[in-house]
Amino acid sequence: MGFRKDFLWGGATAANQCEGAYSLDGRGLANVDLIPHGKDRKLVLTGQRKMYSFEEGQYYPAQTGIDMYHHFKEDIALFAEMGFKTYRMSIAWSRIFPNGDEELPNEEGLKFYDALFHECRKYDIEPLVTITHFDIPMHLVEAYGGWRNRKMIEFYKRLVTILFQRYKGIVKYWLTFNEINVMLHASFMGAGICYEQGEDRYKTIYTAAHHELVASAWATKIGHEIDPGNKIGCMLAAGTYYPLTCKPEDVLAAQKAGQKNFFFIDVQSRGVYPNYALKEFERNGFVIPFEEDDQRILKENTVDFISFSYYRSRCAAHDAIAEGDGILDSVKNPFLKTSDWGWDIDPLGLRITMNELYDRYQKPLFIVENGLGAKDVPDENGFVEDDYRIDYLRRHIEVMKETVEQDGVDLLGYTSWGPIDLVSAGTGEMSKRYGFIYVDRDDQGNGSLKRTKKKSFDWYKKVIATNGEDLS
Ligand code: BG6
């Protein structure tokens, strides 16, 4: 009983939120570099405000992140001390192809990840690699219009081919696109798209979605051809939609909201466009830009496993307005408490979400993000007693265990989000902290970058050492 013996415990980060060194060793500029902290952030990441160069008076947290580029040895050593079996990280596309459309990769960029993976392997940590976590070389945005352009599929194929070849035998677990469904709401962050005046946004974003889906299937094909041992997964920003009431109209609204998200991984996992989407496209006059072979490539190259992030459940109703941060909004659920940032806290929702995903796809699941963004206040020695974080994680891991034991869901692993404090994707803040390790850095980029273990560090170490048996 309990978790499988080879359960992959660990933590997850993304290049743009921690690496920094945005212009070092040949790295090209990326969309994520240009998303500022502060009031314009939401407008930029949702593609409503074009900011294609750095502007005076703005602060861009991805430029420096937590400078993991220079601290990765120290950081991975700390992960190893916690007993990590896996470390989920992402590749910065513009380190490998600075412009995105070159024929040959940037050797310096590849060397950086050689060294990082070497460090993981030194401690027997299995790397879990997200090929793109919200990042796109800016040249591809400016010269091609991001993922609205079909040429992106070729550039992505070039990227993945290099990665699969270079890291063959070193990396086995891959994710094609982080939270692919987020592109619907955060078009600049997820697809490199800023809408033009008068542009048909619906048509643009679903065209881009088709391109990402075909690119993802190609990656799965190329990855399996280069190494049949590769395990390639999709990645969903998950969290079941509850109906606000049992009124049938609310239940239908919740089901429809769920389908909007499932759409992407329905295609990645089943290999065909679901009927509910085809009908919606028909109603909206959108014709999927299928080209020869797309349907076959999608059908023959479905993912090996389903990965997802889970922070919260969501709620939908026929006639109530959803609110939130404009990304995955939700109607207020009156039964749940919220985090400092207003995110519902719902451990049981994880069981509901896991069952929903497992029933739907019958493929192994991997929880690749879960955690609590909270304000930490270090004491005079720099120590953070983050009992609130331990409590959040404990309650979620308990439920995850119940789901495996009582419902028989096949779960490969769990990587908590942000094992070390990093820049928030949504707000650009450092003060929204998730880590077991505190990083001395504030929202304006001040601080020594010193790493200090929090109370949760030893707690998570014990959880891993006991394979999730001791959560006290
Ligand atoms: C997920 C992303 O949406 O949630 C991460 O994959 C992100 O990149 C995480 O950091 C938490 O969200 P936030 O906005 O609190 O950083």
Side-chain angles (χ1 to χ4, degrees):
M1 286 300 270
F3 297 111
R4 39 199 295 168
K5 293 232 160 356
D6 56 356
F7 193 78
L8 290 167
W9 292 98
T13 64
N16 78 84
Q17 292 169 257
C18 62
E19 277 182 10
Y22 83 106
S23 59
L24 273 194
D25 298 331
R27 183 186 178 282
L29 195 65
N31 60 337
V32 281
D33 302 333
L34 289 156
I35 307 181
H37 168 251
K39 64 172 179 35
D40 291 324
R41 186 173 183 86
K42 212 37 64 66
L43 291 173
V44 174
L45 68 83
T46 53
Q48 299 175 73
R49 164 134 156 51
K50 213 180 239 186
M51 201 184 272
Y52 286 0
S53 56
F54 296 121
E55 288 182 7
E56 193 87 24
Q58 298 275 8
Y59 168 59
Y60 297 91
Q63 288 187 347
T64 44
I66 54 162
D67 195 26
M68 204 191 241
Y69 195 76
H70 296 109
H71 289 75
F72 72 91
K73 290 191 180 166
E74 176 189 348
D75 296 341
I76 292 172
L78 286 165
F79 299 160
E81 195 183 326
M82 274 187 279
F84 277 25
K85 311 281 181 214
T86 188
Y87 169 40
R88 174 181 173 229
M89 41 69 69
S90 79
I91 301 279
W93 187 342
S94 64
R95 276 196 203 291
I96 312 299
F97 288 99
N99 285 326
D101 59 357
E102 299 91 335
E103 292 292 332
L104 294 175
N106 169 32
E107 182 58 25
E108 288 302 300
L110 290 166
K111 275 195 187 141
F112 169 67
Y113 295 108
D114 283 342
L116 194 146
F117 295 142
H118 173 81
E119 215 54 29
C120 291
R121 287 282 169 213
K122 187 165 117 189
Y123 299 107
D124 273 336
I125 294 176
E126 182 80 50
L128 163 57
V129 174
T130 316
I131 295 169
T132 49
H133 192 124
F134 299 148
D135 71 333
I136 303 167
M138 261 321 276
H139 175 70
L140 297 184
V141 172
E142 293 195 79
Y144 300 90
W147 280 97
R148 55 157 87 71
N149 191 328
R150 188 170 172 101
K151 289 204 179 103
M152 290 293 286
I153 300 175
E154 287 313 308
F155 304 138
Y156 188 82
K157 279 164 73 178
R158 221 176 275 174
L159 170 72
V160 302
T161 304
I162 289 290
L163 298 180
F164 290 134
Q165 283 169 346
R166 178 83 166 212
Y167 304 121
K168 183 174 176 180
I170 296 166
V171 177
K172 180 170 141 194
Y173 290 95
W174 303 86
L175 308 177
T176 55
F177 289 93
N178 180 62
E179 294 189 334
I180 189 163
N181 49 321
V182 163
M183 69 181 289
L184 290 182
H185 320 277
S187 64
F188 184 63
M189 196 162 78
I193 290 174
C194 271
Y195 296 110
E196 300 298 339
Q197 198 99 42
E199 185 171 8
D200 180 339
R201 294 182 177 209
Y202 185 90
K203 188 171 163 225
T204 297
I205 207 64
Y206 278 102
T207 298
H210 178 67
H211 295 154
E212 288 198 10
L213 290 168
V214 172
S216 173
W218 271 106
T220 310
K221 178 176 164 58
I222 296 167
H224 285 151
E225 280 167 4
I226 291 177
D227 185 350
N230 274 330
K231 301 277 175 222
I232 302 165
C234 55
M235 188 338 187
L236 171 79
T240 300
Y241 277 91
Y242 302 143
L244 184 62
T245 72
C246 53
K247 194 161 71 172
E249 286 81 358
D250 285 350
V251 178
L252 183 65
Q255 190 174 57
K256 285 283 150 204
Q259 283 175 341
K260 244 192 160 38
N261 283 338
F262 287 135
F263 157 71
F264 293 88
I265 59 166
D266 277 355
V267 179
Q268 288 172 297
S269 182
R270 297 165 169 169
V272 287
Y273 272 79
N275 279 358
Y276 62 79
L278 295 176
K279 284 288 170 195
E280 188 193 290
F281 294 159
E282 205 177 291
R283 279 195 300 279
N284 288 305
F286 170 64
V287 180
I288 306 167
F290 277 124
E291 287 202 2
E292 207 192 330
D293 262 4
D294 282 3
Q295 272 158 306
R296 186 178 60 80
I297 292 296
L298 289 172
K299 184 74 200 163
E300 289 177 359
N301 299 286
T302 55
V303 289
D304 299 314
F305 65 97
I306 311 290
S307 87
F308 62 99
S309 59
Y310 178 84
Y311 293 91
R312 55 180 298 184
S313 56
R314 296 187 171 80
C315 202
H318 171 60
D319 54 5
I321 305 221
E323 24 179 280
D325 53 14
I327 297 193
L328 283 164
D329 290 345
S330 171
V331 172
K332 175 93 196 96
N333 183 331
F335 297 99
L336 299 175
K337 294 210 171 89
T338 56
S339 74
D340 292 348
W341 271 264
W343 290 17
D344 291 327
I345 299 179
D346 181 15
L348 195 56
L350 178 58
R351 181 164 175 182
I352 298 166
T353 300
M354 286 172 72
N355 272 289
E356 198 169 33
L357 288 169
Y358 195 60
D359 285 352
R360 199 170 177 107
Y361 303 113
Q362 295 287 302
K363 291 189 184 188
L365 303 185
F366 205 137
I367 300 173
V368 294
E369 285 185 34
N370 170 241
L372 179 72
K375 280 205 165 66
D376 289 336
V377 184
D379 67 14
E380 62 281 8
N381 303 312
F383 186 69
V384 176
E385 283 212 37
D386 53 346
D387 293 297
Y388 38 90
R389 182 168 293 110
I390 294 174
D391 181 60
Y392 176 99
L393 293 169
R394 178 190 293 125
R395 288 162 63 210
H396 283 78
I397 295 173
E398 260 165 19
V399 166
M400 172 170 103
K401 194 153 170 260
E402 261 168 40
T403 314
V404 168
E405 288 177 344
Q406 298 182 26
D407 304 328
V409 168
D410 185 10
L411 185 65
L412 298 174
Y414 172 87
T415 56
S416 72
W417 177 253
I420 181 164
D421 295 343
L422 35 62
V423 176
S424 156
T427 68
E429 293 163 304
M430 265 308 292
S431 52
K432 189 178 186 191
R433 295 174 183 274
Y434 287 88
F436 305 116
I437 302 161
Y438 186 86
V439 178
D440 178 25
R441 185 86 165 160
D442 70 14
D443 291 342
Q444 281 70 44
N446 308 304
S448 65
L449 291 169
K450 183 168 178 269
R451 279 66 169 148
T452 309
K453 297 173 197 171
K454 302 181 196 174
K455 186 174 178 184
S456 54
F457 186 98
D458 284 330
W459 174 81
Y460 196 48
K461 184 174 174 179
K462 181 179 62 189
V463 171
I464 298 178
T466 61
N467 200 22
E469 288 304 313
D470 188 351
L471 300 174
S472 61

